[in-house]
Amino acid sequence: MRRGFVIVRLALVGLALVACGGASKPDVDASSDATLDVPVACALVELTPGDEAAVRAGCGARLTLAEPRLVDAWVARGALSLAGHEGPYVGPVRLEAGTWPVEVSEDAGLVVRDLGPPAPETLRIERSLTWSDDALLDDAAVVGLHRVAQTLTGGGPPGPMIDAMFRRFGTTAHSERLGPQRLLETQIDAQGADPTTWDLDAFPFRATGVHNRIDLADGESCGELRVSFASTHPLHQPFHLIFLFAQPARDEDRRPDGSAHCASTASRWARLSALGDGEVHAAARAILDEALTAERFVLLETLEFIISPWEWRQWALVDGALENPPLFQTVDAERLNRRGPDRDAFLAWVEENAAAIDARALLVPERFRAPSARVNDGVPWIPLDLEGVPAIARYPRLRQQLEMVGCPACHVTDAPFVQTLPDRSFSPFYRRELDARVEHLRALTEGRAPIPAAFGPLQYEPVLPP
């Protein structure tokens, strides 16, 4: 680019930009990356969305919006000024309808990106965070167990994978659970011994919710979408399956440095709150069609109490089979409470990282995590033993904060154990968590939420383990 000019790139729908420049617009397609590099004077030029213009630094530009929009804007060097915001990068910013002046400090490329309409004033949990209505969840073609499980097999029959997983409960060295296999035997009686022919929608499971976990956005991705199921068998329950799928950042979710603010994805979810029943169901189906793919599958989580005690596991897809990796963020308290080199290494790690652990801001290394975790119903909580960690004097809730990021403590400190019940109602803990996620979603749509949020519950001052 020649000295003395600024390239303005537009990607906004329903807006016009008035920029300093006297040259006629080139005849280029709106999606072209071509730039105009010709001498211009400080005369006004009307541009339609998708056009580009050369602008002399100091001449400025005017951005005209026909309706409120959420926008990003940045320059390759120097700084820009837009709606009271200044810097090399500005956004995401909500701009109302009208004309907005844009100033640039140096001759550099100016990019203005459209993130879509802003979020509605009222955000509805049942629209934008957790879907639990019968019209959607009772449609097996949309969110049935067979369809969801089949995403893991690349379209092949999911029966053999589920058959192997349910049997695997009873053969793992870290824990042997026969309840899932007993449930499986009832299905063999009903559908035969060949799992390739099974219809998983005939299994006694009911979809209990679709959950937007954009609160798990970490600067790289925009969190997860989760689908939960619960056993309805009169004997073989409680037994919950939760399928986790990644929610990747879109191009519109990324800053110039590649990190993700997720405002575009957050706004997409938020705008569901303004839709009617028919519209939101169509939008939900489109989101699920996009999300339920083998490429996006992350983990399957199980919470099971067919036979006491309660047990948590996570299942990763390894060479076509589901196996138990170390539980995310769940410290193996039973092992690490015993004296030995594992405990010594763990206590040293806690002391060295006490501040971050107390803030629930640190990943627990795999070597300290458990492959499964159990809690006896009605039995007092067995705490993690941090005796010998001097940092406890500075962080008196260090143990509870470390326990709270794991599966068991998050579930058992505020009964009932599960968040979404078989009748599609929510536990008191989950209701408070959804209230916190509403505010987090709102903040993301405005580009002001912290990324990442703390591990564990999002709600302010959650009930900690005793």
Side-chain angles (χ1 to χ4, degrees), residues 26 75 98-99 118 180 183 203 223 344 357-358 391 454:
V75 288
T99 300
L183 187 150
F203 273 46
D344 294 341
I357 293 171
D358 190 65

Side-chain angles (χ1 to χ4, degrees), residues 19-353:
C20 299
S24 62
K25 294 181 286 185
D27 185 13
V28 297
D29 184 89
S31 63
S32 171
D33 288 332
T35 60
L36 179 65
D37 188 8
V38 295
V40 293
C42 279
L44 294 179
V45 173
E46 285 277 355
L47 294 180
T48 56
D51 287 343
E52 298 174 355
V55 183
R56 181 177 290 127
C59 295
R62 290 204 310 257
L63 188 64
T64 302
L65 301 177
E67 59 185 10
R69 307 296 286 187
L70 192 67
V71 303
D72 266 346
W74 65 85
V75 288
R77 60 180 178 274
L80 66 91
S81 176
L82 171 63
H85 301 272
E86 297 185 357
Y89 169 72
V90 168
V93 175
R94 175 183 171 136
L95 297 179
E96 302 300 327
T99 300
W100 297 90
V102 183
E103 299 291 339
V104 294
S105 66
E106 295 186 23
D107 300 345
L110 170 64
V111 179
V112 181
R113 174 179 283 170
D114 182 24
L115 305 185
E121 291 300 319
T122 301
L123 297 184
R124 300 171 61 185
I125 287 172
E126 71 276 15
R127 291 283 194 266
S128 296
L129 284 171
T130 296
W131 303 330
S132 58
D133 59 301
D134 297 343
L136 183 69
L137 299 187
D138 286 339
D139 190 341
V142 176
V143 71
L145 179 59
H146 195 95
R147 182 201 178 178
V148 175
Q150 195 168 34
T151 62
L152 282 61
T153 65
M161 179 189 66
I162 295 298
D163 177 63
M165 186 191 94
F166 279 31
R167 295 179 188 278
R168 189 79 176 111
F169 273 94
T171 62
T172 48
H174 55 85
S175 178
E176 294 182 1
R177 309 278 292 188
L178 297 180
Q181 185 170 329
R182 297 288 180 264
L183 187 150
L184 187 67
E185 290 166 357
T186 68
Q187 297 312 297
I188 293 173
D189 292 341
Q191 298 196 55
D194 182 0
T196 64
T197 66
W198 291 350
D199 175 10
L200 297 191
D201 291 331
F203 273 46
F205 281 90
R206 187 182 196 222
T208 56
V210 175
H211 313 268
N212 171 21
R213 294 304 311 274
I214 197 170
D215 59 292
L216 298 177
D218 58 5
E220 294 294 332
S221 74
C222 293
E224 298 170 356
L225 178 144
R226 299 183 175 184
V227 184
S228 58
F229 296 87
S231 170
T232 58
H233 193 281
L235 296 178
H236 306 307
Q237 63 163 299
F239 186 19
H240 299 262
L241 311 174
I242 308 172
F243 292 81
L244 283 57
F245 295 89
Q247 190 160 240
R250 303 172 166 196
D251 289 344
E252 295 81 5
D253 286 312
R254 296 198 178 278
R255 303 178 182 89
D257 64 5
S259 63
H261 52 58
C262 295
S264 179
T265 293
S267 296
R268 181 190 188 190
W269 280 96
R271 287 192 289 268
L272 298 178
S273 290
L275 301 181
D277 289 344
E279 294 174 311
V280 78
H281 290 159
R285 288 178 173 88
I287 289 174
L288 288 166
D289 286 344
E290 183 180 304
L292 300 183
T293 65
E295 295 75 21
R296 291 196 182 185
F297 175 71
V298 178
L299 288 171
L300 168 60
E301 183 172 296
T302 58
L303 174 59
E304 181 255 323
F305 190 38
I306 297 175
I307 300 173
S308 182
W310 284 92
E311 186 188 70
W312 290 261
R313 298 193 190 200
Q314 289 172 339
W315 302 80
L317 197 58
V318 181
D319 297 329
L322 290 166
E323 297 289 350
N324 299 138
L327 283 166
F328 181 71
Q329 290 294 81
T330 302
V331 171
D332 191 347
E334 182 180 351
R335 171 170 59 92
L336 297 174
N337 278 356
R338 297 194 298 263
R339 297 189 180 279
D342 285 355
R343 173 174 172 79
D344 294 341
F346 172 68
L347 295 183
W349 174 79
V350 172
E351 175 64 24
E352 183 179 352
N353 298 281

